[in-house]
Coordinates of all heavy atoms in Angstrom, one line a residue:
M289 N -1.2 -5.9 -8.0 CA -0.7 -5.0 -9.0 C 0.4 -5.6 -9.8 O 1.5 -5.9 -9.2 CB -0.3 -3.6 -8.4 CG -1.3 -3.0 -7.5 SD -0.8 -1.3 -6.9 CE 0.6 -1.8 -5.9
N290 N 0.2 -5.9 -11.1 CA 1.2 -6.5 -11.9 C 1.6 -5.5 -13.0 O 0.9 -4.5 -13.3 CB 0.7 -7.7 -12.6 CG 0.3 -8.8 -11.6 OD1 1.0 -8.9 -10.5 ND2 -0.7 -9.6 -11.9
S291 N 2.7 -5.7 -13.7 CA 3.2 -4.9 -14.8 C 3.2 -3.4 -14.4 O 2.7 -2.6 -15.2 CB 2.3 -5.1 -16.1 OG 2.3 -6.5 -16.4
L292 N 3.7 -3.1 -13.3 CA 3.7 -1.8 -12.8 C 4.4 -0.8 -13.7 O 5.5 -1.1 -14.2 CB 4.2 -1.7 -11.4 CG 3.2 -2.2 -10.3 CD1 4.0 -2.6 -9.0 CD2 2.1 -1.2 -10.0
K293 N 3.9 0.4 -13.8 CA 4.5 1.5 -14.6 C 4.8 2.7 -13.6 O 4.3 2.8 -12.5 CB 3.5 2.0 -15.6 CG 2.9 0.9 -16.5 CD 1.8 1.4 -17.4 CE 1.3 0.3 -18.3 NZ 0.2 0.9 -19.2
S294 N 5.7 3.6 -14.1 CA 6.0 4.7 -13.3 C 4.8 5.6 -13.0 O 4.7 6.2 -12.0 CB 7.1 5.6 -14.0 OG 6.6 6.0 -15.3
E295 N 3.8 5.6 -13.9 CA 2.6 6.3 -13.7 C 1.7 5.8 -12.5 O 0.8 6.5 -12.1 CB 1.7 6.3 -15.0 CG 2.4 6.7 -16.2 CD 2.9 5.5 -17.0 OE1 4.1 5.1 -16.7 OE2 2.2 5.1 -17.9
D296 N 2.0 4.6 -12.0 CA 1.3 4.0 -10.9 C 1.8 4.5 -9.6 O 1.3 4.2 -8.5 CB 1.4 2.5 -10.9 CG 0.8 1.9 -12.1 OD1 -0.3 2.3 -12.5 OD2 1.4 1.0 -12.7
T297 N 2.9 5.3 -9.6 CA 3.5 5.8 -8.3 C 2.5 6.8 -7.7 O 2.0 7.7 -8.3 CB 4.8 6.6 -8.6 OG1 5.8 5.6 -9.1 CG2 5.3 7.2 -7.4
A298 N 2.2 6.5 -6.4 CA 1.2 7.2 -5.7 C 1.0 6.7 -4.3 O 1.6 5.6 -3.9 CB -0.2 7.2 -6.4
L299 N 0.3 7.5 -3.4 CA -0.1 7.0 -2.1 C -1.5 6.3 -2.4 O -2.4 6.9 -2.9 CB -0.3 8.1 -1.2 CG -0.5 7.8 0.3 CD1 0.7 7.0 0.9 CD2 -0.8 9.1 1.1
Y300 N -1.5 5.0 -2.0 CA -2.7 4.2 -2.2 C -3.6 4.1 -1.0 O -3.0 3.8 0.1 CB -2.3 2.8 -2.7 CG -2.0 2.8 -4.2 CD1 -0.8 3.3 -4.6 CD2 -2.8 2.2 -5.1 CE1 -0.4 3.3 -5.9 CE2 -2.4 2.1 -6.4 CZ -1.3 2.7 -6.8 OH -0.9 2.7 -8.2
Y301 N -4.8 4.4 -1.1 CA -5.8 4.4 0.0 C -6.8 3.3 -0.1 O -7.4 3.1 -1.2 CB -6.5 5.7 0.1 CG -5.7 6.9 0.4 CD1 -5.1 7.7 -0.6 CD2 -5.4 7.3 1.8 CE1 -4.3 8.8 -0.3 CE2 -4.7 8.4 2.1 CZ -4.1 9.2 1.1 OH -3.4 10.3 1.3
C302 N -7.1 2.7 0.9 CA -8.3 1.8 1.0 C -9.5 2.6 1.5 O -9.3 3.4 2.4 CB -8.0 0.7 2.0 SG -9.3 -0.5 2.2
A303 N -10.7 2.4 0.9 CA -11.9 3.1 1.3 C -13.0 2.1 1.4 O -13.1 1.2 0.7 CB -12.2 4.2 0.3
G304 N -14.0 2.4 2.3 CA -15.1 1.6 2.5 C -16.4 2.3 2.5 O -16.5 3.5 2.8
G305 N -17.5 1.6 2.2 CA -18.8 2.2 2.2 C -19.5 2.4 0.8 O -20.6 2.7 0.8
S306 N -18.7 2.2 -0.2 CA -19.2 2.4 -1.6 C -18.2 1.7 -2.5 O -17.2 1.2 -2.1 CB -19.3 3.9 -1.9 OG -19.8 4.1 -3.2
M307 N -18.6 1.6 -3.8 CA -17.7 1.2 -4.8 C -17.8 2.2 -6.0 O -17.4 1.9 -7.1 CB -17.8 -0.2 -5.3 CG -19.2 -0.6 -5.8 SD -19.3 -2.4 -6.2 CE -18.2 -2.5 -7.5
A308 N -18.2 3.4 -5.7 CA -18.4 4.5 -6.7 C -17.0 5.1 -7.0 O -16.0 4.9 -6.2 CB -19.3 5.5 -6.2
S309 N -16.9 5.8 -8.1 CA -15.6 6.3 -8.5 C -15.4 7.7 -7.9 O -14.3 8.3 -8.2 CB -15.5 6.4 -10.0 OG -16.6 7.2 -10.6
I310 N -16.3 8.2 -7.1 CA -16.2 9.6 -6.5 C -15.8 9.4 -5.1 O -16.5 8.8 -4.3 CB -17.6 10.3 -6.6 CG1 -18.0 10.3 -8.1 CG2 -17.4 11.7 -6.1 CD1 -17.1 11.0 -9.0
A311 N -14.7 10.1 -4.7 CA -14.2 9.9 -3.3 C -15.1 10.4 -2.2 O -15.2 9.8 -1.2 CB -12.8 10.7 -3.2
S312 N -16.0 11.4 -2.5 CA -16.9 11.9 -1.5 C -18.0 10.9 -1.1 O -18.7 11.2 -0.1 CB -17.5 13.2 -2.0 OG -18.2 13.0 -3.2
M313 N -18.1 9.9 -1.9 CA -19.2 8.9 -1.6 C -18.8 7.9 -0.5 O -19.6 7.1 0.0 CB -19.5 8.1 -2.8 CG -20.1 8.9 -4.0 SD -21.7 9.7 -3.5 CE -22.7 8.2 -3.3
Y314 N -17.5 7.9 0.0 CA -17.0 6.9 0.9 C -17.0 7.4 2.3 O -16.8 8.6 2.6 CB -15.6 6.5 0.5 CG -15.6 5.7 -0.8 CD1 -15.6 6.4 -2.0 CD2 -15.5 4.3 -0.7 CE1 -15.7 5.6 -3.2 CE2 -15.6 3.6 -1.9 CZ -15.6 4.3 -3.1 OH -15.7 3.5 -4.3
D315 N -17.4 6.5 3.2 CA -17.5 6.8 4.6 C -16.2 6.5 5.5 O -16.0 7.2 6.5 CB -18.6 5.9 5.3 CG -20.0 6.2 4.7 OD1 -20.3 7.3 4.4 OD2 -20.8 5.2 4.5
Y316 N -15.4 5.6 5.0 CA -14.2 5.3 5.8 C -13.0 5.2 4.9 O -13.0 4.8 3.7 CB -14.4 3.9 6.4 CG -15.6 3.8 7.3 CD1 -16.8 3.2 6.8 CD2 -15.6 4.4 8.6 CE1 -17.9 3.1 7.6 CE2 -16.8 4.3 9.4 CZ -17.9 3.7 8.9 OH -19.0 3.6 9.7
W317 N -11.8 5.7 5.5 CA -10.6 5.7 4.8 C -9.4 5.2 5.6 O -9.4 5.5 6.8 CB -10.2 7.1 4.3 CG -11.2 7.7 3.3 CD1 -12.3 8.3 3.5 CD2 -11.0 7.6 1.9 NE1 -12.9 8.7 2.3 CE2 -12.1 8.3 1.3 CE3 -10.0 7.1 1.0 CZ2 -12.3 8.4 -0.1 CZ3 -10.2 7.2 -0.3 CH2 -11.3 7.8 -0.9
G318 N -8.5 4.5 5.0 CA -7.2 4.2 5.7 C -6.3 5.4 5.5 O -6.6 6.4 4.9
Q319 N -5.1 5.3 6.1 CA -4.1 6.4 6.1 C -3.2 6.3 4.9 O -2.4 7.3 4.6 CB -3.3 6.4 7.4 CG -4.2 6.7 8.6 CD -3.4 7.3 9.7 OE1 -2.4 8.0 9.6 NE2 -3.8 6.9 10.9
G320 N -3.2 5.3 4.1 CA -2.5 5.1 2.9 C -1.2 4.4 3.0 O -0.6 4.3 4.1
T321 N -0.8 3.8 1.9 CA 0.5 3.1 1.8 C 1.2 3.5 0.5 O 0.5 3.6 -0.6 CB 0.4 1.6 1.9 OG1 1.6 0.9 1.9 CG2 -0.5 1.0 0.7
Q322 N 2.5 3.9 0.5 CA 3.2 4.4 -0.6 C 3.6 3.4 -1.5 O 4.3 2.4 -1.1 CB 4.4 5.3 -0.1 CG 5.2 5.9 -1.3 CD 4.4 7.0 -2.0 OE1 3.7 7.8 -1.4 NE2 4.6 7.0 -3.3
V323 N 3.3 3.6 -2.8 CA 3.9 2.7 -3.9 C 4.7 3.6 -4.8 O 4.2 4.6 -5.3 CB 2.7 2.0 -4.7 CG1 3.3 1.3 -5.9 CG2 1.9 1.1 -3.8
T324 N 6.0 3.2 -5.0 CA 6.9 3.9 -5.8 C 7.4 3.0 -6.9 O 8.0 1.9 -6.6 CB 8.0 4.5 -5.0 OG1 7.5 5.4 -4.0 CG2 9.0 5.3 -6.0
V325 N 7.3 3.3 -8.2 CA 7.7 2.5 -9.3 C 8.9 3.2 -9.9 O 8.7 4.3 -10.5 CB 6.6 2.2 -10.3 CG1 7.1 1.3 -11.4 CG2 5.4 1.6 -9.6
S326 N 10.0 2.6 -9.9 CA 11.2 3.2 -10.5 C 11.3 2.8 -12.0 O 10.9 1.7 -12.4 CB 12.5 2.8 -9.8 OG 12.7 1.4 -9.9
S327 N 11.9 3.7 -12.8 CA 12.1 3.5 -14.2 C 13.5 3.1 -14.5 O 14.4 3.2 -13.7 CB 11.6 4.7 -15.0 OG 12.3 5.8 -14.7

């Protein structure tokens, strides 16, 4: 992740089993890692 913006602040999840844009299509999920971008 380069040129980070404040709008990128979120809990980021890794998911497996698909590359679709719909979360319900995925079979496996991590627990997340927090990214916080300060302004």
Side-chain angles (χ1 to χ4, degrees):
M289 305 185 295
N290 298 326
S291 301
L292 283 162
K293 306 174 181 179
S294 60
E295 309 95 274
D296 298 318
T297 295
L299 188 64
Y300 282 71
Y301 294 92
C302 180
S306 181
M307 56 185 298
S309 61
I310 306 299
S312 62
M313 297 297 294
Y314 290 81
D315 297 322
Y316 304 102
W317 294 88
Q319 296 202 36
T321 185
Q322 179 67 40
V323 172
T324 302
V325 183
S326 62
S327 58

